[in-house]
Amino acid sequence: MSRSRQPPLVTGISPNEGIPWTKVTIRGENLGTGPTDLIGLTICGHNCLLTAEWMSASKIVCRVGQAKNDKGDIIVTTKSGGKGTSTVSFKLLKPEKIGILDQSAVWVDEMNYYDMRTDRNKGIPPLSLRPANPLGIEIEKSKFSQKDLEMLFHGMSADFTSENFSAAWYLIENHSNTSFEQLKMAVTNLKRQANKKSEGSLAYVKGGLSTFFEAQDALSAIHQKLEADGTEKVEGSMTQKLENVLNRASNTADTLFQEVLGRKDKADSTRNALNVLQRFKFLFNLPLNIERNIQKGDYDVVINDYEKAKSLFGKTEVQVFKKYYAEVETRIEALRELLLDKLLETPSTLHDQKRYIRYLSDLHAPGDPAWQCIGAQHKWILQLMHNCKEGYVKDLKGSPGLHSPMLDLDNDTRPSVLGHLGQTASLKRGSSFQSGRDDTWRYKTPHRVAFVEKLTKLVLSQLPNFWKLWISYVNGSLFSETAEKSGQIERSKNVSYCHLINDISKMIQEVMHSLVKLTRGALLPLSIRDGEAKQYGGWEVKCELSGQWLAHAIQTIRLTHESLTALEIPNDLLQTIQDLILDLRVRCVMVTLQHTAEEIKRLAEKEDWIVDNEGLTSLPCQFEQCIVRSLQSLKGVLECKPGEASVFQQPKTQEEVCQLSINIMQVIIESSNAQASNDTKYHLSVDVSSPDLFGSIHEDFSLTSEQRLLIVLSNCCYLERHTFLNIAEHFEKHNFQGIEKITQVSMASLKELDQRLFENYIELKADPIVGSLEPGIYAGYFDWKDCLPPTGVRNYLKEALVNIIAVHAEVFTISKELVPRVLSKVIEAVSEELSRLMQCVSSFSKNGALQARLEICALRDTVAVYLTPESKSSFKQALEALPQLSSGADKKVLLEELLNKFKSSMHLQLTCFQAASSTMMKT
């Protein structure tokens, strides 16, 4: 078969869908040999041959007519090839209803117009030309009741023109049984409608472009025909008439539709205005919303809205927008001022300060609010410190009592440093003293100490937040939660980083300076200059603080220093506190030692003169315990905390402490001297319960001056051998300097006192005995040259021995240890006097020489246990002054008999010397 006789084949159509009367281009093969060969053309079953225009064997142009089927094939029939086939199809769309005010490129059938009005009357608002069926598919009402749908979608609406439109409600109500494919078609229709609205006039032109071209072609053909006929400008010609008809039609149309078009334009203007208000309601409502959120404190919402408005309308040229944006800026400026006032308001927490600074940073506030806040906090802290001082000073002048009503120490959980200070449980020698805590000490806190506690508590409550605020400012976390120490810090403040460091260092130094100066004014008033006394002092101190309260204040300041160090504040900024602590420690040591000397002096005035078995009163033990308590109270003060220097590092301090220690020892010595020289009558309570004495008795005697001397001598001996050495060990244990000097000076003074008191006692006791020897020897006109043979020891010697025994008894009653020392000295005086008297005798008779030898030997043998080299020498000299005995044995025998007789007759009296002898032998 030849090629020309093959049936037509349609392979393409453009466009492949459209409404009736859409112009399409058909492409394919064997579409005919010419216009006369084309005898048939159907699209979707509708004959389109009337509008068909054969272009070539592969191209035909025509218009789609009204068809019953929505989709169908394109069939071409030719004489040469017969009825053809199609590999493609065309979809016929339903034409949109065009309103009376819609633009159209073709003539609109009036039937459509009336149909639309009928639809509009069914419920579409007059000003709304939206179709009743926005999805463009068949509506199938559901069986659900309206009441159930309202309960299911509470507060919503199925009306697509409503602000509360619910798509789910609309679909359930109108398309509950619609298939998924139809819903997909509905989506396509919605997209087409949206594109059409967005394109506007351009879509209208594009939709009627073929119509415009056809009209242009028709007008061109008419124009060419008229030119050819020469009737273009002839009056009364068809062209002229047509023009007149068209003009009248245009004028009539304008007259008919002028009112409608005016209302349409006004409605469009109103609709456009409402659309603008709705679209930009964020900006128009923003001023009022800012005020409301500021009142509620929702600053984050305000800042977010402002940033959004600034990004959208910050550079707008629309006058309305510029006007409302200016209102927004006015309210934001007021917010900046409000936040800055809140930031600088005191007192304020660190959290609030950071929050306000971040708000101001987000609002791009001018200047540097963070640095302003740091400066305000610095001034606030200084003001608080000075107000605290003024309040305590006024309170002190108003109520001179010890306890200040301004104290609030019950809530202070810091440990007290007075816990180790208490009353001694026992004052007896050898008993351990125990420390306790006086529960009422808080209520006796001096004003100055309470002020220091309050001042440090104030600094510790304010300065950490101040320092943390500065650290946050430096590392950038003040402006952002995740900011690092990088470019997020606003360095556009025209302030260099080094300058900021210098400024904050000066602020911290000023706070530390005020803290130290105010503390010095309260505790060390002499350490501040006269020009600063009014600013930092003014306490009108009447009495100095005790060492205990100074120690408590030191511990308080130490805890303050530790807390500030924990904040990682540079040590050079805290050096003034270290210097203050050192000065307070030195002062505490000085005051404690001075008060110790005064306390020792008071102890001596309260001597009870109760003597124990060793001849001691409780005074030496009280002296030692008083000093031990004082040193124990200084234990924490003398201890060096990390970074602290020793109290004794300065030579001047060492010298002063050494001198005060010597003064304490001198007070003990002077107190002992005062006791010995006091003429007041006391009662002596003697404890003679020793098993080798007279049984368990307890008797009271009236104290004599000699007995007081003995008691003081006994105490001095104990001080020298035990107390002073123990005190020196305690001084050394607490790292006191110059211990050797203290010991030497104290021992020298004590020995001097002991020797002076001993000599006074010997003078009181030995002089009467010595003075009675010479009158006793020569009593009754006794003469060594002319005397009877000796019959025994004469009474003067017995009287002297009795007096010596009385001294022995008196000393033994007080202190057994003093007996050898005292009796040896007394016997030395007696032997010396006896030797002098013998040497003064010009001559002795034989009887006189024998009598003298008997008495000298009797005295020497009786007190032999207490003889010293000096007394032995005196007895030897006395015997050498006597004539030698003759060689006769009878005289020697007589001498022995008389000596034995004397010893036998005075055996009871001489027992004390024998007991002393056995005791000394045991020793």
Side-chain angles (χ1 to χ4, degrees):
M1 183 179 290
S2 61
R3 181 180 179 87
S4 61
R5 294 179 182 177
Q6 291 180 354
L9 176 64
V10 176
T11 59
I13 184 171
S14 178
N16 60 2
E17 63 179 7
I19 62 175
W21 308 113
T22 299
K23 189 175 183 179
V24 296
T25 300
I26 302 172
R27 297 184 183 277
E29 301 175 358
N30 304 318
L31 300 182
T33 57
T36 58
D37 191 37
L38 181 64
I39 59 175
L41 175 60
T42 61
I43 299 177
C44 296
H46 184 269
N47 188 3
C48 300
L49 183 60
L50 185 61
T51 60
E53 182 180 357
W54 186 90
M55 306 298 294
S56 66
S58 59
K59 178 180 180 182
I60 297 175
V61 177
C62 72
R63 287 187 177 275
V64 180
Q66 295 284 352
K68 298 180 180 180
N69 300 326
D70 293 337
K71 191 174 184 180
D73 296 333
I74 300 94
I75 305 300
V76 177
T77 305
T78 62
K79 294 179 181 180
S80 59
K83 188 175 181 179
T85 59
S86 174
T87 61
V88 295
S89 61
F90 182 83
K91 182 179 181 182
L92 187 64
L93 302 178
K94 292 182 179 181
E96 295 182 1
K97 296 180 180 180
I98 302 176
I100 59 177
L101 300 179
D102 291 339
Q103 295 176 336
S104 176
V106 296
W107 185 261
V108 179
D109 189 356
E110 292 184 357
M111 181 59 67
N112 292 336
Y113 165 72
Y114 288 113
D115 290 342
M116 189 190 74
R117 288 182 61 89
T118 304
D119 292 340
R120 186 182 70 180
N121 292 334
K122 290 182 181 179
I124 299 178
L127 295 179
S128 174
L129 297 179
R130 299 176 183 176
N133 184 7
L135 298 183
I137 59 178
E138 185 178 357
I139 296 177
E140 298 179 4
K141 293 293 183 177
S142 67
K143 298 180 181 180
F144 295 97
S145 65
Q146 190 72 15
K147 185 177 181 180
D148 294 339
L149 291 174
E150 290 178 356
M151 292 179 61
L152 183 62
F153 300 97
H154 181 70
M156 307 302 291
S157 173
D159 183 5
F160 58 86
T161 63
S162 173
E163 292 183 357
N164 299 325
F165 171 69
S166 173
W169 187 353
Y170 179 82
L171 291 175
I172 292 174
E173 183 178 8
N174 299 289
H175 300 283
S176 59
N177 297 324
T178 305
S179 64
F180 184 70
E181 293 297 329
Q182 287 181 318
L183 291 177
K184 290 173 66 176
M185 292 174 59
V187 172
T188 304
N189 294 337
L190 286 175
K191 290 181 179 179
R192 186 183 298 111
Q193 292 178 22
N195 292 335
K196 181 179 178 180
K197 290 181 179 180
S198 63
E199 291 178 359
S201 299
L202 180 60
Y204 159 73
V205 173
K206 290 172 64 177
L209 192 60
S210 59
T211 304
F212 287 133
F213 288 159
E214 291 176 0
Q216 178 66 26
D217 292 341
L219 291 175
S220 297
I222 295 173
H223 181 69
Q224 292 175 1
K225 183 65 176 176
L226 291 175
E227 283 184 344
D229 295 342
T231 60
E232 179 182 5
K233 297 182 179 180
V234 176
E235 184 68 28
S237 64
M238 183 182 66
T239 305
Q240 186 68 35
K241 294 178 180 179
L242 180 60
E243 180 180 3
N244 294 333
V245 170
L246 292 176
N247 287 333
R248 287 197 303 273
S250 176
N251 293 333
T252 302
D254 290 341
T255 302
L256 291 174
F257 289 95
Q258 183 175 6
E259 183 179 357
V260 176
L261 292 176
R263 289 199 302 270
K264 177 180 180 298
D265 292 340
K266 185 176 181 180
D268 289 342
S269 299
T270 303
R271 188 181 301 108
N272 291 335
L274 292 174
N275 289 336
V276 170
L277 290 176
Q278 181 66 24
R279 181 179 179 183
F280 301 102
K281 65 179 180 179
F282 165 73
L283 177 63
F284 299 138
N285 295 334
L286 187 56
L288 181 60
N289 290 336
I290 288 177
E291 292 182 357
R292 291 175 178 175
N293 290 326
I294 290 177
Q295 292 177 357
K296 293 189 294 184
D298 294 337
Y299 303 122
D300 291 309
V301 177
V302 175
I303 292 173
N304 292 334
D305 291 346
Y306 172 65
E307 290 293 337
K308 181 179 179 181
K310 185 176 181 181
S311 63
L312 294 175
F313 307 102
K315 297 180 180 180
T316 184
E317 296 297 332
V318 180
Q319 293 299 322
V320 175
F321 294 164
K322 290 174 69 175
K323 179 179 179 181
Y324 275 86
Y325 185 73
E327 290 292 329
V328 172
E329 285 289 355
T330 301
R331 284 159 177 78
I332 292 297
E333 183 61 30
L335 176 60
R336 292 192 187 104
E337 296 177 359
L338 174 65
L339 291 176
L340 184 60
D341 292 340
K342 287 182 174 292
L343 176 64
L344 302 181
E345 186 180 79
T346 53
S348 178
T349 62
L350 180 62
H351 174 74
D352 290 341
Q353 291 171 353
K354 288 184 176 181
R355 192 159 56 93
Y356 294 141
I357 289 173
R358 286 171 186 156
Y359 290 155
L360 289 170
S361 176
D362 293 340
L363 291 174
H364 309 287
D368 192 348
W371 186 253
Q372 290 177 300
C373 178
I374 292 175
Q377 286 297 309
H378 169 248
K379 294 179 180 178
W380 167 249
I381 294 174
L382 293 178
Q383 185 64 35
L384 282 180
M385 295 169 69
H386 286 281
N387 290 346
C388 180
K389 190 266 293 185
E390 295 297 331
Y392 271 87
V393 170
K394 291 180 181 179
D395 184 65
L396 177 62
K397 294 179 180 179
S399 55
L402 288 176
H403 179 255
S404 170
M406 296 178 64
L407 291 181
D408 186 16
L409 300 180
D410 292 336
N411 296 327
D412 191 358
T413 59
R414 291 178 292 180
S416 172
V417 297
L418 293 182
H420 64 277
L421 299 178
Q423 300 296 328
T424 302
S426 175
L427 295 177
K428 292 186 179 181
R429 179 172 50 87
S431 63
S432 61
F433 69 95
Q434 299 176 352
S435 61
R437 179 189 175 110
D438 184 1
D439 293 335
T440 62
W441 73 274
R442 283 187 180 275
Y443 305 102
K444 299 178 182 178
T445 305
H447 275 71
R448 289 178 288 162
V449 177
F451 160 69
V452 173
E453 286 185 337
K454 188 73 173 181
L455 181 66
T456 55
K457 187 176 181 180
L458 186 151
V459 172
L460 290 180
S461 65
Q462 298 294 329
L463 194 60
N465 289 341
F466 175 78
W467 182 253
K468 291 175 183 177
L469 183 66
W470 157 251
I471 295 299
S472 301
Y473 178 78
V474 172
N475 60 28
S477 63
L478 195 60
F479 306 99
S480 173
E481 292 289 350
T482 58
E484 300 294 337
K485 190 179 178 183
S486 59
Q488 293 192 14
I489 303 177
E490 298 184 4
R491 294 305 182 194
S492 60
K493 310 299 182 183
N494 298 326
V495 182
S496 66
Y497 181 73
C498 295
H499 184 61
L500 293 177
I501 291 292
N502 293 334
D503 289 345
I504 196 65
S505 298
K506 291 179 181 178
M507 291 181 182
I508 296 294
Q509 284 180 347
E510 189 172 357
V511 173
M512 295 299 104
H513 173 81
S514 297
L515 173 63
V516 171
K517 288 291 185 180
L518 289 171
T519 304
R520 287 184 179 274
L523 304 180
L524 302 173
L526 297 180
S527 64
I528 59 176
R529 296 190 295 268
D530 295 338
E532 299 174 337
K534 182 178 180 181
Q535 184 179 1
Y536 300 105
W539 289 93
E540 298 182 1
V541 179
K542 298 180 181 179
C543 60
E544 192 169 13
L545 291 173
S546 65
Q548 296 178 356
W549 287 116
L550 285 175
H552 176 68
I554 290 171
Q555 180 64 9
T556 300
I557 299 174
R558 277 176 166 172
L559 292 174
T560 303
H561 182 267
E562 292 177 3
S563 300
L564 295 178
T565 304
L567 295 175
E568 298 182 357
I569 297 177
N571 290 330
D572 56 337
L573 300 179
L574 304 178
Q575 186 58 42
T576 54
I577 299 183
Q578 287 281 25
D579 297 339
L580 170 63
I581 293 175
L582 179 60
D583 292 346
L584 283 174
R585 291 167 64 203
V586 172
R587 186 58 190 167
C588 181
V589 172
M590 301 294 185
V591 170
T592 301
L593 294 179
Q594 292 173 359
H595 289 182
T596 302
E598 297 173 1
E599 185 176 356
I600 287 176
K601 187 180 296 184
R602 290 192 295 269
L603 285 176
E605 297 173 356
K606 298 177 182 179
E607 173 65 277
D608 55 10
W609 299 101
I610 298 176
V611 182
D612 62 7
N613 293 337
E614 298 182 9
L616 302 174
T617 64
S618 62
L619 201 57
C621 180
Q622 292 183 38
F623 288 157
E624 180 178 351
Q625 290 183 348
C626 179
I627 294 175
V628 170
R629 285 199 306 271
S630 298
L631 295 179
Q632 186 68 20
S633 68
L634 292 175
K635 182 178 179 180
V637 176
L638 296 174
E639 181 182 357
C640 293
K641 299 293 183 180
E644 292 183 356
S646 172
V647 173
F648 306 108
Q649 68 172 356
Q650 296 294 335
K652 181 180 179 182
T653 304
Q654 295 179 13
E655 183 64 28
E656 292 179 355
V657 172
C658 180
Q659 187 59 46
L660 287 173
S661 302
I662 293 174
N663 291 344
I664 292 175
M665 301 298 203
Q666 294 292 345
V667 169
I668 296 176
I669 297 171
E670 292 172 0
S671 299
S672 300
N673 186 28
Q675 286 181 313
S677 60
N678 196 349
D679 292 335
T680 305
K681 297 298 181 180
Y682 297 95
H683 287 277
L684 172 63
S685 180
V686 184
D687 185 4
V688 288
S689 59
S690 179
D692 59 342
L693 292 178
F694 311 109
S696 180
I697 62 174
H698 192 84
E699 301 180 2
D700 288 339
F701 303 92
S702 179
L703 277 178
T704 63
S705 60
E706 293 86 351
Q707 288 173 331
R708 285 203 308 273
L709 281 174
L710 284 175
I711 294 174
V712 175
L713 277 173
S714 179
N715 286 343
C716 287
C717 291
Y718 187 83
L719 290 173
E720 180 181 356
R721 289 179 305 202
H722 298 90
T723 303
F724 277 17
L725 296 179
N726 293 341
I727 291 174
E729 291 180 1
H730 287 296
F731 280 148
E732 187 173 4
K733 180 181 177 181
H734 289 82
N735 298 322
F736 275 56
Q737 305 296 316
I739 304 299
E740 184 177 354
K741 179 181 178 181
I742 297 172
T743 305
Q744 288 178 354
V745 174
S746 303
M747 286 295 187
S749 299
L750 183 62
K751 289 178 180 180
E752 180 184 355
L753 173 63
D754 178 81
Q755 186 62 30
R756 186 170 68 253
L757 296 179
F758 181 74
E759 291 177 355
N760 290 342
Y761 183 78
I762 295 301
E763 183 179 352
L764 290 174
K765 292 299 181 181
D767 285 357
I769 298 175
V770 171
S772 66
L773 288 179
E774 186 173 1
I777 291 175
Y778 295 106
Y781 302 101
F782 179 81
D783 188 0
W784 296 107
K785 298 177 183 179
D786 184 14
C787 63
L788 298 174
T791 59
V793 177
R794 290 185 293 168
N795 291 333
Y796 82 90
L797 187 60
K798 294 178 180 179
E799 183 181 354
L801 284 173
V802 170
N803 290 333
I804 293 174
I805 292 171
V807 173
H808 178 282
E810 182 178 66
V811 176
F812 189 86
T813 302
I814 303 300
S815 174
K816 292 182 290 185
E817 295 182 358
L818 286 177
V819 171
R821 182 184 178 192
V822 172
L823 289 187
S824 297
K825 203 66 177 177
V826 171
I827 292 171
E828 282 184 9
V830 172
S831 62
E832 183 180 356
E833 178 64 17
L834 190 58
S835 174
R836 184 187 67 79
L837 291 175
M838 293 298 107
Q839 292 175 4
C840 291
V841 176
S842 58
S843 62
F844 292 88
S845 65
K846 292 181 180 182
N847 292 333
L850 186 60
Q851 183 71 42
R853 189 175 297 275
L854 172 62
E855 294 172 352
I856 292 173
C857 290
L859 178 60
R860 182 191 63 186
D861 293 345
T862 300
V863 298
V865 69
Y866 297 114
L867 292 180
T868 63
E870 288 79 6
S871 58
K872 288 179 181 179
S873 176
S874 298
F875 280 119
K876 183 180 179 181
Q877 292 176 3
L879 290 174
E880 290 177 350
L882 300 177
Q884 296 294 326
L885 289 176
S886 60
S887 58
D890 52 346
K891 292 185 178 181
K892 292 183 179 180
V893 172
L894 178 61
L895 182 61
E896 291 294 334
E897 289 178 355
L898 293 175
L899 283 174
N900 291 333
K901 179 181 177 182
F902 166 74
K903 293 178 181 179
S904 176
S905 63
M906 296 192 64
H907 174 73
L908 181 60
Q909 289 81 358
L910 301 180
T911 303
C912 63
F913 298 114
Q914 297 173 3
S917 176
S918 62
T919 301
M920 294 183 66
M921 288 177 64
K922 292 179 183 179
T923 304

Short mmCIF file of all heavy atoms in Angstrom, two decimals, residues 83 90 163 180 406 417 567 656 725 856 858:
data_model
loop_
_atom_site.label_atom_id
_atom_site.label_comp_id
_atom_site.label_asym_id
_atom_site.label_seq_id
_atom_site.Cartn_x
_atom_site.Cartn_y
_atom_site.Cartn_z
N LYS A 83 -10.44 6.76 8.30
CA LYS A 83 -10.54 7.13 9.73
C LYS A 83 -9.26 6.72 10.47
O LYS A 83 -8.84 5.56 10.38
CB LYS A 83 -11.76 6.46 10.36
CG LYS A 83 -12.05 6.93 11.77
CD LYS A 83 -13.33 6.30 12.27
CE LYS A 83 -13.66 6.77 13.68
NZ LYS A 83 -14.93 6.19 14.17
N PHE A 90 -7.53 14.04 25.12
CA PHE A 90 -7.74 15.43 25.55
C PHE A 90 -8.78 15.44 26.67
O PHE A 90 -9.76 14.70 26.62
CB PHE A 90 -8.25 16.27 24.37
CG PHE A 90 -8.44 17.71 24.72
CD1 PHE A 90 -7.36 18.60 24.72
CD2 PHE A 90 -9.70 18.20 25.07
CE1 PHE A 90 -7.56 19.92 25.04
CE2 PHE A 90 -9.87 19.53 25.40
CZ PHE A 90 -8.80 20.39 25.40
N GLU A 163 -12.68 33.18 59.91
CA GLU A 163 -11.32 33.15 60.45
C GLU A 163 -11.05 31.85 61.20
O GLU A 163 -9.90 31.42 61.31
CB GLU A 163 -11.11 34.34 61.40
CG GLU A 163 -11.10 35.69 60.72
CD GLU A 163 -10.81 36.82 61.71
OE1 GLU A 163 -10.67 36.52 62.90
OE2 GLU A 163 -10.71 37.97 61.26
N PHE A 180 -10.28 9.44 46.90
CA PHE A 180 -8.97 10.10 47.03
C PHE A 180 -8.54 10.74 45.73
O PHE A 180 -7.93 11.81 45.73
CB PHE A 180 -7.93 9.06 47.51
CG PHE A 180 -6.59 9.66 47.76
CD1 PHE A 180 -6.38 10.51 48.85
CD2 PHE A 180 -5.53 9.40 46.91
CE1 PHE A 180 -5.14 11.05 49.08
CE2 PHE A 180 -4.29 9.95 47.14
CZ PHE A 180 -4.08 10.78 48.24
N MET A 406 21.44 46.07 117.34
CA MET A 406 21.61 45.90 115.91
C MET A 406 22.22 44.55 115.58
O MET A 406 22.32 44.19 114.41
CB MET A 406 22.51 47.00 115.35
CG MET A 406 21.94 48.39 115.47
SD MET A 406 23.07 49.62 114.85
CE MET A 406 23.17 49.18 113.14
N VAL A 417 35.26 31.61 117.68
CA VAL A 417 36.64 31.35 118.10
C VAL A 417 36.79 31.45 119.60
O VAL A 417 37.89 31.33 120.12
CB VAL A 417 37.60 32.37 117.44
CG1 VAL A 417 37.56 32.20 115.94
CG2 VAL A 417 37.23 33.79 117.84
N LEU A 567 36.94 33.34 95.95
CA LEU A 567 36.38 33.97 94.75
C LEU A 567 37.42 34.18 93.67
O LEU A 567 37.09 34.68 92.59
CB LEU A 567 35.75 35.32 95.12
CG LEU A 567 34.54 35.29 96.05
CD1 LEU A 567 34.11 36.71 96.40
CD2 LEU A 567 33.39 34.54 95.42
N GLU A 656 59.22 43.66 122.23
CA GLU A 656 58.08 44.05 123.06
C GLU A 656 57.45 42.85 123.75
O GLU A 656 57.11 42.91 124.94
CB GLU A 656 57.05 44.78 122.20
CG GLU A 656 57.51 46.14 121.70
CD GLU A 656 56.46 46.80 120.82
OE1 GLU A 656 55.44 46.15 120.54
OE2 GLU A 656 56.67 47.96 120.40
N LEU A 725 60.19 27.44 135.23
CA LEU A 725 60.66 26.54 134.17
C LEU A 725 59.49 26.06 133.31
O LEU A 725 59.60 25.97 132.08
CB LEU A 725 61.39 25.34 134.80
CG LEU A 725 62.67 25.67 135.58
CD1 LEU A 725 63.27 24.41 136.16
CD2 LEU A 725 63.68 26.36 134.67
N ILE A 856 80.53 24.18 174.57
CA ILE A 856 80.76 24.25 173.11
C ILE A 856 80.52 22.89 172.47
O ILE A 856 79.86 22.77 171.43
CB ILE A 856 82.19 24.74 172.84
CG1 ILE A 856 82.34 26.21 173.27
CG2 ILE A 856 82.54 24.61 171.36
CD1 ILE A 856 83.77 26.73 173.20
N ALA A 858 78.71 20.43 173.68
CA ALA A 858 77.31 20.06 173.77
C ALA A 858 76.50 20.71 172.63
O ALA A 858 75.65 20.06 171.97
CB ALA A 858 76.75 20.48 175.12
#
